[in-house]
Amino acid sequence: MSSSVTARASTFIQVLRRVFSLAAPYFRSEEKWRARAMLLTIVALNLFYVYVAVLGNQWYGRFYDALQNKDVTTFWREVRVFGWIAFFNIAVQVLKFYITQLLQLRWRTWMTRSYLSRWMADRTFYHLELARYANKDGHTPDNPDQRLQEDMQIFTSSTMTLSMGLLNAVVTLLSFIGLLWGLSGNFSFTFSGTTYQIVGAMVWLALGYSIVGTVVTHFIGRPLIGLNFRQQRYEADFRHHLVRVREYSEAIALDHGEKVERGQLDLRFGDVLRNYLLLIKQQKNLVTFTSFFGQAAVIFPFLVAAQQYFGGAFQLGHLMQIGSAFGKVQESLSWFVDNYDSVAVWRATTDRLTSFDDSMTAHASRDDALQRAPSQMLQTDDLAVALPNGTPLLAGAALAVKPGDSVLLQGPSGSGKSTLFRSFAGIWPFSKGKLQVPDNVAFMPQRPYVPDGKLRDALTYPNPASNFSDDQLRQALTDALLPDLVSRLDDSDAWSQKLSGGEQQRLAIARVLLKKPAWLFADEITSALDAQAESVLYKRLAATVHAAGGAMVSIAHRAAVGDFHNQRWTLVPQEDGAAGGARYRLNTSAGVQPAAA
């Protein structure tokens, strides 16, 4: 029993530490003085609200005594007093609501921007996604979009609501427990011929009543924490797949994949429904008990004090004060009972945000095994590249590309060609060795990212369109064989849906022709183009990088692309047990004739 209590106490302390680690940065940030002032104002309003409640309890005694005594003068005086009490009660609640909501909004804004900065810095968003697919134990956080949007909102609002509610409960308890002690007097009863007296009986009854309620509530509601955690994850998975269906709508339609995707959506929605049904059943049990507990608390103090009242020990006003004070004390002691469901959701959200925060912190503090240095050429020394699951693809690679070179990288599908490019770009965390890279480099993936919005912004991405003149933009589109788009620079659209695969690749090539990098790494950038367009565009790309004193390295399966390169790198499969344990080795050769300028 003691070990169980100790374990729960330790868990409670860990939860508080997690909450503090998530909440404290905002109140230490550049907004700390405004945030602290607003928080102190909310605390002061809560204290004043409790003071008004104490005045209301005292009013109960005077008002109901006036009713019992048929004292008209006192009755109307107390009606006026009630008006002032009600006015201050309403004013405090409205002001407290406004400042609390404003603080929640500012806190969420700061926290979201802070986490977005960390998530987008140093390609953390990319590395965490890689780690999630490689991680078999499920510790890497899923659905960061949900954590940045929904979880942030729940955490900030719930933390404020629950913490201020707990503060209000504690202050109310301290304010009313002494009042209830004095009102309850001595409670006497006879058992086996002996008369017993309990001093402050109502206080002890309220305490016992609340302890029983808290224990039973925790026993019933404990599964809600895990169920809420899973519910948030299942909802996010379902929403994520809906977005993917929308994003790949054309491909799904062409493949007639509606039934498959419907099945996948049904599968994910089934997880949502099954878990939600479990959540409903558990909440039903909790609501059943808490409703009974709350209703019983209304009549309980009157049942206990009825004998003394009917015996003439005190008047109606005194009885109503006892009922009011008991209700306040019991409500304060039962704060955990009344808020268990909210605490369960808040606890699950805190765990999700904490795991997300820990993953970003771990990423920021990692040691980079790939040593990068600036150079006038691309050169590697003892370069090793692995998959996210640790499988080595390449080991001990020593490569060099000098200005003026044109290199074609080839190999079987899945051999790691694109992964090698990712290592050159410095975004692949599963590579090690030494790497020297030049400046003014552009990397072109096989599937370019085309943002929605104005075409000029999609063309200049990620640079602002204002860096280029309209003539430069039109010339780049023309050179990339996109003359039909020249007049649409200011059109806004979902270009990733409106442009064909070949048009999107030509738009990516237009970006390169516009920015004129010296070094270009191109990954299957003409796979959706016809041979004539491919020839024209490769000549222009080669002329662009060589004019800037750089080089070009390409990945391509088409033999014709070799005409535009004077070197060839080939990834060749190795047998098991080869040096370094790598699945492939890289052969280099020269002699491919360069394309005519």
Side-chain angles (χ1 to χ4, degrees):
M1 181 69 180
S2 60
S3 60
S4 176
V5 173
T6 303
R8 290 177 182 175
S10 177
T11 301
F12 178 72
I13 292 173
Q14 289 177 0
V15 172
L16 290 181
R17 286 176 177 171
R18 291 174 188 169
V19 173
F20 183 79
S21 67
L22 293 173
Y26 174 61
F27 293 93
R28 296 172 179 168
S29 69
E30 66 280 0
E31 294 189 20
K32 59 184 177 182
W33 297 117
R34 182 193 295 266
R36 293 173 185 178
M38 295 175 74
L39 183 60
L40 288 175
T41 302
I42 295 170
V43 170
L45 289 171
N46 272 278
L47 296 178
F48 188 71
Y49 179 77
V50 174
Y51 172 71
V52 173
V54 172
L55 295 179
N57 179 268
Q58 295 170 353
W59 175 86
Y60 268 113
R62 299 191 302 270
F63 183 75
Y64 282 99
D65 281 346
L67 287 176
Q68 185 176 17
N69 298 329
K70 298 182 179 180
D71 185 345
V72 177
T73 302
T74 303
F75 172 82
W76 287 111
R77 185 184 68 212
E78 293 305 321
V79 168
R80 291 192 295 272
V81 171
F82 175 80
W84 284 107
I85 292 175
F87 170 77
F88 284 114
N89 194 309
I90 295 171
V92 168
Q93 290 196 62
V94 170
L95 190 57
K96 184 177 68 170
F97 169 80
Y98 176 73
I99 298 177
T100 300
Q101 292 297 313
L102 194 59
L103 178 56
Q104 289 177 16
L105 178 62
R106 297 187 67 88
W107 187 6
R108 180 189 176 187
T109 301
W110 183 91
M111 198 172 180
T112 301
R113 287 174 175 169
S114 174
Y115 274 65
L116 278 175
S117 297
R118 293 172 59 193
W119 187 55
M120 298 298 292
D122 196 24
R123 301 179 180 90
T124 300
F125 65 96
Y126 174 68
H127 293 161
L128 290 185
E129 200 67 16
L130 290 175
R132 185 168 72 89
Y133 287 112
N135 202 323
K136 302 301 183 183
D137 57 11
H139 289 168
T140 305
D142 59 275
N143 300 301
D145 52 311
Q146 183 200 26
R147 303 184 189 222
L148 288 164
Q149 185 265 323
E150 184 179 355
D151 288 351
M152 290 283 181
Q153 188 273 329
I154 294 175
F155 175 77
T156 52
S157 62
S158 296
T159 300
M160 285 298 304
T161 301
L162 292 173
S163 60
M164 290 301 104
L166 181 59
L167 172 66
N168 189 70
V170 171
V171 175
T172 300
L173 177 63
L174 295 176
S175 301
F176 278 90
I177 195 167
L179 183 61
L180 181 62
W181 183 279
L183 290 170
S184 58
N186 298 330
F187 178 78
S188 60
F189 64 95
T190 302
F191 181 74
S192 298
T194 305
T195 300
Y196 299 91
Q197 283 193 342
I198 302 177
V199 180
M202 284 296 180
V203 174
W204 299 113
L205 287 172
L207 181 61
Y209 188 86
S210 301
I211 289 175
V212 171
T214 299
V215 171
V216 175
T217 298
H218 181 61
F219 178 77
I220 295 173
R222 184 168 49 184
L224 286 173
I225 297 174
L227 288 171
N228 276 294
F229 186 97
R230 289 190 292 274
Q231 188 67 27
Q232 289 175 333
R233 188 183 71 196
Y234 292 147
E235 295 279 7
D237 287 341
F238 177 58
R239 184 169 59 245
H240 176 70
H241 200 77
L242 286 171
V243 172
R244 285 185 59 83
V245 170
R246 187 185 68 183
E247 184 179 358
Y248 292 94
S249 57
E250 182 178 2
I252 293 170
L254 289 172
D255 285 336
H256 301 287
E258 295 89 347
K259 290 184 178 179
V260 175
E261 295 307 317
R262 175 59 189 269
Q264 290 294 321
L265 289 171
D266 285 343
L267 182 65
R268 285 163 171 77
F269 191 59
D271 291 336
V272 171
L273 290 181
R274 279 189 294 274
N275 193 79
Y276 195 66
L277 284 173
L278 293 174
L279 197 60
I280 290 174
K281 291 177 181 178
Q282 204 64 39
Q283 287 175 327
K284 179 198 69 175
N285 296 335
L286 184 62
V287 169
T288 300
F289 174 75
T290 54
S291 297
F292 170 79
F293 184 80
Q295 290 299 313
V298 175
I299 196 67
F300 185 77
F302 296 104
L303 294 176
V304 175
Q307 182 180 357
Q308 291 176 292
Y309 170 71
F310 290 118
F314 43 72
Q315 289 188 303
L316 178 61
H318 190 92
L319 177 64
M320 297 306 296
Q321 274 191 282
I322 288 177
S324 174
F326 181 91
K328 291 293 185 181
V329 171
Q330 180 272 327
E331 182 181 337
S332 301
L333 291 171
S334 303
W335 178 87
F336 189 69
V337 175
D338 298 333
N339 292 276
Y340 197 95
D341 194 23
S342 299
V343 171
V345 174
W346 173 73
R347 166 74 185 277
T349 301
T350 300
D351 289 343
R352 288 175 59 81
L353 278 180
T354 301
S355 65
F356 184 45
D357 184 83
D358 289 345
S359 295
M360 291 196 295
T361 300
H363 174 267
S365 60
R366 79 192 191 287
D367 294 327
D368 197 342
L370 185 63
Q371 303 175 35
R372 293 169 56 85
S375 176
Q376 298 300 314
M377 60 182 293
L378 174 71
Q379 189 168 0
T380 70
D381 183 19
D382 197 26
L383 177 65
V385 181
L387 293 175
N389 61 9
T391 302
L393 286 176
L394 193 65
L399 304 170
V401 181
K402 301 184 296 295
D405 287 343
S406 296
V407 180
L408 177 63
L409 174 60
Q410 293 185 313
S413 296
S415 58
K417 302 183 295 296
S418 297
T419 303
L420 182 60
F421 268 28
R422 297 180 188 117
S423 297
F424 291 159
I427 68 171
W428 192 249
F430 311 105
S431 54
K432 60 182 179 180
K434 295 180 180 179
L435 172 66
Q436 297 182 43
V437 290
D439 295 326
N440 196 11
V441 180
F443 287 85
M444 300 180 65
Q446 181 177 358
R447 186 185 175 199
Y449 173 63
V450 182
D452 296 343
K454 289 187 176 181
L455 179 61
R456 63 171 68 244
D457 295 323
L459 174 58
T460 63
Y461 180 86
N463 303 108
S466 57
N467 289 0
F468 305 93
S469 67
D470 285 2
D471 288 341
Q472 289 176 305
L473 300 181
R474 296 189 190 99
Q475 186 62 51
L477 290 172
T478 302
D479 291 343
L481 308 182
L482 290 171
D484 293 342
L485 297 181
V486 168
S487 61
R488 302 186 61 188
L489 286 174
D490 290 311
D491 288 1
S492 293
D493 215 326
W495 298 108
S496 60
Q497 301 293 323
K498 292 299 180 68
L499 299 179
S500 67
E503 288 174 322
Q504 291 184 47
Q505 287 188 338
R506 278 178 280 167
L507 183 65
I509 291 172
R511 288 178 188 165
V512 174
L513 297 176
L514 179 68
K515 300 170 187 176
K516 296 180 171 55
W519 289 75
L520 178 64
F521 293 82
D523 185 358
E524 294 280 5
I525 60 169
T526 57
S527 59
L529 302 182
D530 60 85
Q532 182 178 358
E534 178 181 71
S535 175
V536 171
L537 293 176
Y538 251 109
K539 288 178 182 178
R540 290 174 179 172
L541 288 172
T544 298
V545 296
H546 291 150
M552 179 169 63
V553 183
S554 301
I555 295 174
H557 287 96
R558 292 179 181 174
V561 177
D563 295 340
F564 308 100
H565 301 80
N566 58 18
Q567 293 185 45
R568 189 187 303 272
W569 295 348
T570 307
L571 285 165
V572 180
Q574 293 194 113
E575 296 181 359
D576 294 340
R583 296 169 59 180
Y584 296 90
R585 71 175 186 274
L586 192 60
N587 291 343
T588 60
S589 61
V592 180
Q593 294 299 317

